[in-house]
Amino acid sequence: MTAESISIEQFTWNRSSRSVKHNYRLLLEDNSKEDEIWIPAFELAGAEDGPNLLILAGVHGDEYEGIETILRLFSAMQPEDLKGNVLMIPCANPYAYRGGTRVSPDDGVNLARVFPGKQRGTVTEKLAYELHHRMIANADFMLDLHSGGTHYAVASLVGYYHEEESAFSRRCREAAEAFGSSLLWAHNEIAPGRSVSSAQSLGIPWLYTEAYGGRRVRQEDARMFYDGTIRLMNHLEMLVDPLEWPVSKPVIEPKTIYSDGNFDHSATAEEDGFFVPAISLESEVRQGDLIGTIYGLDGSERQRILAGSDGFLVMILGTPVLRKGDPVYLLASEMSG
């Protein structure tokens, strides 16, 4: 299927379309063809009315699990399989993808920190603006697929908004449970600048994922992302015949962890060196437990990194060579199961 090239300013998500399968190259800049920068956008409009689901991936350019999920879904699904409309963006940040980095090399900005963006900002701020206004604002539900990328090992999970007695929170929680992951991350606060904070500001329910990362796609994470997305679509009553989409059995009683989920609050290194972890991802720790040690190449012990509180180890540094100030670990503050 040949993609249609148009400028992103010309793109409109036509949610009234029916029986359409289309892909676009949304051009971001007036560059030469050899260097044009564009966002791939896959549109599926079902034969019947239903919800409008937006699926994002590649907000960070070194996270590949979500990209694989979207490519597989778009290949497999046809309009007659669906009720409603799905817009899938497999590479939301082509600047960072081109560099294989978490931030955009063109301006050094993290796309996941600048939503809803600026119409006349840096390239990444303008990208956030277009994603917010043209795509997120037109969704009834949003799924943003993330993972640990190059540097971080992250527990495979689905995150959602948590607030007691909130109908919005209940919709997010029910969708998270339907996704079928063994680990749920409940956030009672949402830091600004994220795609999910954009969705929340517009009253649009959302989920996001995390996974181990490492610039590779583990089969267990590929299965969780793909099966979970199918389960979410079924939960939203978007599948004409759910039995045609067999998936693995979901976890009936997942563990839930709680915190604001802000990776910017991760504990950081006080020294340069080589990090040797003492515990594994998803460990339950007590304050003062040894997380790991930073060594010099001369064998000297430069820093013993101790847990600053009780909690659940949801992220730990995945690449051992680190610099002072680099994030090392993140704990979720509470546990249940």
Side-chain angles (χ1 to χ4, degrees), residues 32-65:
S32 67
K33 286 190 175 181
E34 290 77 22
D35 194 34
E36 67 180 5
I37 300 173
W38 53 279
I39 298 175
F42 301 155
E43 182 181 13
L44 271 169
E48 303 178 41
D49 290 340
N52 302 295
L53 172 64
L54 172 65
I55 307 176
L56 297 178
V59 167
H60 294 128
D62 59 350
E63 300 176 5
Y64 303 134
E65 293 85 346

Side-chain angles (χ1 to χ4, degrees), residues 84-103:
N85 298 61
V86 183
L87 182 64
M88 296 183 277
I89 311 296
C91 182
N93 190 345
Y95 302 105
Y97 179 81
R98 183 177 58 176
T101 54
R102 182 173 175 83
V103 302

Side-chain angles (χ1 to χ4, degrees), residues 129-197:
Y129 179 88
E130 298 295 346
L131 290 169
H132 174 87
H133 289 277
R134 296 186 184 278
M135 298 168 191
I136 297 175
N138 288 309
D140 295 321
F141 198 101
M142 186 187 77
L143 172 64
D144 192 358
L145 301 169
H146 283 267
S147 69
T150 302
H151 298 292
Y152 312 118
V154 182
S156 298
L157 56 84
V158 61
Y160 70 97
Y161 180 65
H162 173 79
E163 181 184 14
E164 296 293 341
E165 308 302 325
S166 161
F168 181 90
S169 171
R170 186 163 55 252
R171 291 179 67 187
C172 293
R173 170 77 190 199
E174 289 171 353
E177 291 173 341
F179 198 88
S181 172
S182 61
L183 183 63
L184 308 182
W185 200 355
H187 303 302
N188 56 4
E189 295 181 15
I190 305 300
R194 276 67 170 172
S195 62
V196 297
S197 60

